Amino acid sequence: MATGAPIKYLQFAAELRRRIRRGTWPPGSKLPTEVQLAAVHGLSVNTVRRALEILADEGSVERRQGVGTFARSVPRPPSARRRIAVVLPERDWYFPPVLAGIEAAAARTRTTIDVHTTGYGDHGWHRLSRLSHHLEGAEGLLITHPGPADAAVAARTGLLRELPLPYVLLERTPSGIGDPSEHVSSDHAGGVYLALAHLAALGHRDVALACRPACAPSRGISTGFTEGSAALGLRVTARLDWPPITDCDSFEKVLAAQPPLADAVLGSVLDSGATGLICFGDMEGSALLSAARRAGVRIPGDLALISCEDRHAATEQVPLTSVAPEKFRLGSLAMETLLRRLDEPDAELRQVRVRPRLTVRESCGARATDPS
């Protein structure tokens, strides 16, 4: 007997199962006849009949003699619980709303989660390699790997594909075009485009970027800035880097200990002639607001400022306009994607980018109104 290719009736049973779960045939609705299904899909009636027998045995359909085949909804038994491992770099800075979304989706589906943290960078990857024993008994894995988003990640994330359980990357994207990893992540590039479009609508033509390299979102932010400014016809006057520190606690201490750092970034932006600035996060944005107050620079009168984060943006003395990732929804979607993979192992891959929301506050002003 030949092996390797899926047996036709098993393959067709899987396709029908997917369509029932997606609502093509809602619970109680009648499926086409065996002859109709065979004609539409180019199969023999015997292949269709054997596929329907599998679905009937598992409870996905009900076959009524002389009437037809009907879709059923078979809920997971109330006593059944799944165990999912969640691995994050940290739970105190970026990830609290993400984790809240994961927990909400888990509660809706009677799923138990075990949360582990690794930290960032090389230290984080070392800890991640030692967490493997905590995955025993888990049916699936949600993971935000330690980063950063550089070439070394491709080799490291290859280890994930060797795991004996399904996983979904959260706020991390596949390492290349051939990486089949499912993921749910922020469209940082699209979010920066929204910010630039808002600046352009306010009349700003000269823009600058102050990014933090080695952090996972930095690639998307940089790409969005390059492509967005070109698409909108804006002049890029400066591209500056903050210290490449991935750990948020360490970076906050650096900013607090070195006020001249923010002063220097602000000075370089103003010297370049930019009137609009995109900065990596609201931690950096806060430091720039303080630098502006020290230098007598008016925000947004002299410089309009938008941050790519929304953790404390609303509480600043001059509230920061921000590109705000939909963190709660990201966590919820990631959990839903993983549970779908467990329910439908042969379903198509899901690679999702969620565009952040632009929240306009005083640091760049409101969009100019149309005089007409």
Side-chain angles (χ1 to χ4, degrees), residues 208-211 238-243 255 259-272 277-279 284 287-288 291 303 305:
L209 173 69
C211 203
R239 299 179 72 116
L240 307 165
D241 287 336
W242 297 93
L255 287 179
L261 179 62
D263 296 339
V265 170
L266 178 66
S268 296
V269 170
L270 294 173
D271 289 345
S272 75
L277 173 63
I278 308 293
C279 67
E284 292 87 340
L288 288 170
L303 182 67
L305 177 61

Side-chain angles (χ1 to χ4, degrees), residues 41-280:
H41 295 277
L43 300 170
S44 70
V45 171
N46 187 54
T47 295
V48 172
R49 182 174 298 123
R50 293 186 72 180
L52 290 173
E53 287 171 355
I54 290 174
L55 298 185
D57 288 344
E58 71 185 29
S60 295
V61 301
E62 178 184 1
R63 310 196 77 184
R64 302 176 190 171
Q65 187 67 32
V67 180
T69 302
F70 296 81
R72 293 184 60 192
S73 175
V74 184
R76 193 170 174 82
S79 59
R81 297 191 73 91
R82 279 191 167 125
R83 179 173 166 237
I84 300 298
V86 178
V87 176
L88 305 172
E90 43 85 8
R91 358 181 4 161
D92 299 324
W93 285 87
Y94 187 90
F95 287 95
V98 177
L99 186 55
I102 293 171
E103 291 170 340
R108 291 194 300 269
T109 54
R110 294 185 57 80
T111 299
T112 299
I113 63 172
D114 298 327
V115 182
H116 309 278
T117 58
T118 61
Y120 290 95
D122 289 338
H123 170 73
W125 283 105
H126 179 66
R127 289 202 64 191
L128 179 61
S129 68
R130 297 167 58 191
L131 277 176
S132 57
H133 65 281
H134 289 296
L135 303 182
E136 295 179 9
E139 294 183 55
L141 170 67
L142 285 182
I143 179 167
T144 305
H145 63 64
D150 59 15
V153 169
R156 286 166 160 170
T157 55
L159 299 175
L160 295 175
R161 297 194 291 276
E162 298 175 6
L163 291 173
L165 73 170
Y167 69 91
V168 172
L169 297 175
L170 173 57
E171 281 292 57
R172 297 291 187 265
T173 56
S175 58
I177 194 170
D179 186 343
S181 300
E182 292 195 287
H183 77 95
V184 176
S185 58
S186 293
D187 178 10
H188 294 290
V192 171
Y193 176 83
L194 293 179
L196 290 170
H198 182 73
L199 290 174
L202 294 174
H204 297 281
R205 310 309 303 170
D206 298 319
V207 295
L209 173 69
C211 203
R212 182 144 54 107
C215 291
S218 61
R219 179 177 296 176
I221 290 170
S222 182
T223 298
F225 184 78
T226 299
E227 297 181 1
S229 56
L232 294 164
L234 304 179
R235 186 173 77 96
V236 176
T237 65
R239 299 179 72 116
L240 307 165
D241 287 336
W242 297 93
I245 301 171
T246 56
D247 180 80
C248 293
D249 287 317
S250 298
F251 187 74
E252 185 180 43
K253 292 174 183 176
V254 167
L255 287 179
Q258 301 180 34
L261 179 62
D263 296 339
V265 170
L266 178 66
S268 296
V269 170
L270 294 173
D271 289 345
S272 75
T275 63
L277 173 63
I278 308 293
C279 67
F280 180 84

Side-chain angles (χ1 to χ4, degrees), residues 328-340:
F328 183 93
R329 184 61 179 142
L330 285 162
S332 178
L333 268 175
M335 176 60 79
E336 292 166 9
T337 298
L338 180 57
L339 295 178
R340 170 180 175 270

